[in-house]
């Protein structure tokens, strides 16, 4: 007997930005892991669908999409003895916006958060989404366990110490449907956010390491002609008070949006007012869920040793970039050992672009950006717009061959294969 969730077809619709209409014939909303197993085992092509906040076709397929929004479950925190960190086991479809208040209410925290809180934990960590901080790894580095349904319908669990886990965390949807994910947690902490105006390119490039290391998390916003603002997020237990001046930039005296002439009501609180980690590390309030995205996004990660050259290369392209750009953002991310993480093996500078939703012109400028950043070994964000091909990605990711072998072991029949994987990592070659 088939479960209703496995047979009721529904239109797949579009991604969050509206620039992609999913091709899947069916969209399923299973309410149990057993239903997920049945759908996956019975589908010729299947992909998991999270918050739809990817700007490319990484989650697209021709047959079946599986949304885990209805796969409910409690957040369970395991607290081992001794000094080992706690682990929060989270349902696969849970968004950070739901998870964060629950963790905070019980005195727990994650080490890092992305700009937007409405994205799913499983989707963000599967694509190497990051946050900011010289000493902070990406969101993916919190992952210490994965429970996933493989293409044969088998439910498997990977935990810390398993040889496959470093290759499976940033998995691009190629290994299975994640039904639960284990995240390393720590005691809660407080953060203040101060915004500074007037930082010059000269001061930034002369002491980029100092700027990035001046606080727990630093974001530099720009239109690539000039730096428009700097958001400096400091742990209260590490810095008693924020300075009035920041590398020559002055402290903002009113709440300031990263986009000119934009209301600030949905932003996290600024002006140095302390708040819990989940109320300050995102740029937007946890309760704020964008209804639609009149934007596109791209992002590239370069080793920190190439940071100055990468910034200068993009400044030279400012006349082409700026007319299409809502805002750019420069952040740092600490190195990790996750095979397909953009920070694999090296501390990186993240160069983010929020574009107006003009896909034809954005796609036309991406090759110029990628060519300019090629000497800097730029790795693209897996969930955003880019044109970098499989051959170049193979050069940039030394463990990509190992990842292909991992995919073939977990998905020998190619059920999770799609155009994106064929075009980028050639997962079944």
């Amino acid at each position: 007997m088939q479960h209703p969730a496995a047979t009721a077809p529904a239109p797949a619709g579009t991604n969050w930005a509206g620039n992609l209409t999913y091709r899947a014939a069916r969209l399923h909303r299973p309410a149990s892991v057993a239903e997920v197993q049945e759908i996956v085992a019975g589908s010729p092509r299947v992909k998991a669908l999270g918050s739809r906040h990817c700007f490319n076709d990484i989650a697209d397929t021709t047959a079946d999409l599986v949304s885990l929004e209805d796969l409910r479950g409690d957040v369970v925190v395991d607290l081992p003895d001794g000094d080992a960190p706690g682990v929060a086991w989270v349902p696969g479809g849970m968004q950070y916006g739901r998870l964060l208040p629950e963790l905070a209410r019980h005195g727990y925290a994650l080490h890092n958060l992305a700009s937007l809180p409405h994205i799913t934990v499983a989707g963000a960590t599967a694509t190497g989404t990051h946050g900011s901080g010289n000493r902070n790894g990406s969101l993916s580095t919190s992952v210490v366990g994965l429970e996933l349904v493989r293409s044969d319908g088998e439910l498997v669990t990977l935990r810390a110490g398993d040889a496959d886990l470093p290759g499976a965390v940033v998995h691009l949807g190629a290994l299975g449907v994640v039904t639960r994910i284990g995240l390393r947690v720590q005691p809660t902490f407080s953060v203040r956010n101060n915004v500074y105006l007037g930082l010059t390119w000269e001061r930034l490039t002369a002491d980029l390491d100092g700027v990035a290391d001046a606080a727990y998390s630093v974001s530099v916003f720009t239109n690539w002609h000039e730096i428009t603002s700097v958001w400096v997020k400091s742990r209260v237990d590490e810095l008693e008070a924020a300075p009035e001046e920041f590398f020559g930039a002055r402290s903002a005296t009113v709440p300031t949006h990263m986009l000119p002439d934009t209301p600030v009501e949905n932003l996290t609180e600024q002006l140095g007012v302390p708040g819990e980690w989940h109320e300050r590390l995102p740029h937007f309030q946890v309760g704020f869920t964008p209804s639609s995205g009149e934007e596109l996004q791209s992002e590239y990660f370069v080793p920190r040793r190439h940071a100055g050259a990468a910034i200068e290369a993009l400044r030279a392209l400012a006349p082409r970039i700026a007319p299409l750009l809502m805002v750019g953002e420069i952040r740092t991310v600490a190195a990790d050992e996750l095979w397909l993480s953009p920070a694999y093996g090296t501390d990186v500078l993240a160069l983010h672009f929020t574009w107006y939703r003009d896909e034809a012109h954005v796609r036309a400028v991406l090759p110029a950006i990628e060519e300019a950043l090629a000497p800097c070994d730029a790795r693209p964000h897996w969930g955003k717009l880019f044109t970098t091909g499989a051959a170049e990605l193979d050069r940039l990711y030394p463990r990509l061959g190992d990842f292909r072998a991992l995919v073939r072991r977990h998905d020998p029949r190619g059920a999770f294969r799609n155009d994106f994987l064929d075009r980028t990592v050639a997962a079944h070659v």
Side-chain angles (χ1 to χ4, degrees):
M1 177 179 174
Q2 286 190 314
H3 297 283
T7 59
T14 69
N15 64 344
W16 177 78
N19 68 306
L20 174 71
T21 298
Y22 294 109
R23 298 179 299 155
R26 294 166 295 276
L27 173 63
H28 305 276
R29 299 182 184 276
S32 70
V33 172
E35 290 178 11
V36 177
Q37 292 175 278
E38 181 179 332
I39 294 164
V40 170
S43 176
R45 288 285 189 272
V46 60
K47 301 293 288 186
L49 186 64
S51 61
R52 303 171 183 249
H53 198 258
C54 287
F55 297 83
N56 57 38
D57 57 346
I58 188 172
D60 199 15
T61 189
T62 55
D64 296 284
L65 284 175
V66 178
S67 169
L68 300 184
E69 289 179 326
D70 295 338
L71 187 66
R72 299 300 178 182
D74 295 329
V75 175
V76 178
V77 180
D78 295 335
L79 294 176
D81 296 330
D83 296 328
V87 177
W89 284 93
V90 179
M94 180 169 277
Q95 296 184 0
Y96 281 96
R98 285 180 50 218
L99 171 65
L100 304 183
E102 186 165 350
L103 288 179
R105 189 163 51 248
H106 292 90
Y108 306 123
L110 301 174
H111 79 289
N112 205 353
L113 293 173
S115 303
L116 289 170
H118 75 284
I119 55 179
T120 60
V121 178
T125 55
T127 54
T129 299
H130 51 98
S132 176
N134 263 12
R135 293 160 287 169
N136 299 331
S138 70
L139 308 188
S140 308
T141 61
S142 289
V143 177
V144 292
L146 289 173
E147 180 185 272
L148 70 159
V149 177
R150 301 195 308 191
S151 62
D152 58 2
E154 182 182 357
L155 184 68
V156 299
T157 301
L158 301 176
R159 298 180 183 271
D162 289 342
D164 286 347
L165 187 63
V169 172
V170 183
H171 56 80
L172 317 183
L175 301 181
V177 175
V178 173
T179 53
R180 281 209 317 164
I181 186 167
L183 303 177
R184 184 185 298 107
V185 295
Q186 60 180 287
T188 188
F189 57 94
S190 295
V191 176
R192 63 168 62 89
N193 182 20
N194 292 82
V195 176
Y196 295 88
L197 308 174
L199 180 67
T200 66
W201 287 117
E202 290 72 24
R203 288 297 298 271
L204 176 65
T205 55
D207 195 3
L208 179 61
D209 288 340
V211 170
D213 204 38
Y216 191 77
S217 170
V218 177
S219 292
V220 177
F221 290 100
T222 179
N223 57 21
W224 289 105
H225 286 300
E226 62 181 352
I227 296 169
T228 53
S229 63
V230 186
W231 293 30
V232 179
K233 301 177 181 181
S234 308
R235 284 185 61 137
V236 173
D237 58 1
E238 293 179 348
L239 188 67
E240 290 186 4
E244 286 297 314
E245 185 181 81
F246 185 81
F247 294 85
R250 67 188 186 280
S251 179
T253 57
V254 296
T256 303
H257 207 288
M258 68 281 289
L259 298 175
D261 304 318
T262 302
V264 299
E265 287 78 8
N266 293 322
L267 298 178
T268 49
E269 193 162 0
Q270 302 176 11
L271 304 180
V273 178
E276 285 200 80
W277 59 282
H278 69 291
E279 297 172 336
R280 296 293 182 272
L281 290 180
H283 296 334
F284 295 91
Q285 294 178 31
V286 167
F288 170 59
T289 302
S291 58
S292 62
E294 292 297 321
E295 65 186 58
L296 302 170
Q297 293 183 14
S298 301
E299 190 165 26
Y300 300 91
F301 303 80
V302 301
R304 286 283 297 279
R305 64 183 180 276
H306 297 316
I311 289 173
E312 290 307 311
L314 292 178
R315 289 184 65 195
L317 287 175
R320 293 190 62 184
I321 292 172
L324 300 171
L325 191 68
M326 296 176 71
V327 68
E329 185 176 6
I330 302 171
R331 290 174 282 181
T332 55
V333 187
D336 60 56
E337 295 302 318
L338 306 176
W339 297 357
L340 292 195
S341 166
Y344 175 80
T346 183
D347 296 332
V348 294
L349 188 76
L351 303 159
H352 174 86
F353 303 83
T354 298
W355 307 104
Y356 291 106
R357 204 175 70 179
D358 183 351
E359 188 163 4
H361 286 95
V362 168
R363 287 191 177 277
V365 79
L366 292 181
I369 291 173
E370 292 166 3
E371 181 180 4
L373 293 179
C376 302
D377 293 333
R379 295 166 172 168
H381 190 298
W382 295 109
K384 301 179 182 180
L385 294 180
F386 64 92
T387 66
T388 311
E392 179 66 3
L393 291 168
D394 206 24
R395 183 185 72 82
L396 293 169
Y397 286 92
R399 300 297 300 271
L400 195 51
D402 295 325
F403 180 75
R404 294 190 191 105
L406 183 64
V407 170
R408 288 192 290 270
R409 282 195 284 114
H410 280 265
D411 181 23
R413 66 185 183 90
F416 300 113
R417 181 175 179 173
N418 67 355
D419 290 348
F420 175 89
L421 292 172
D422 288 345
R423 189 173 66 245
T424 56
V425 303
H428 283 80
V429 171

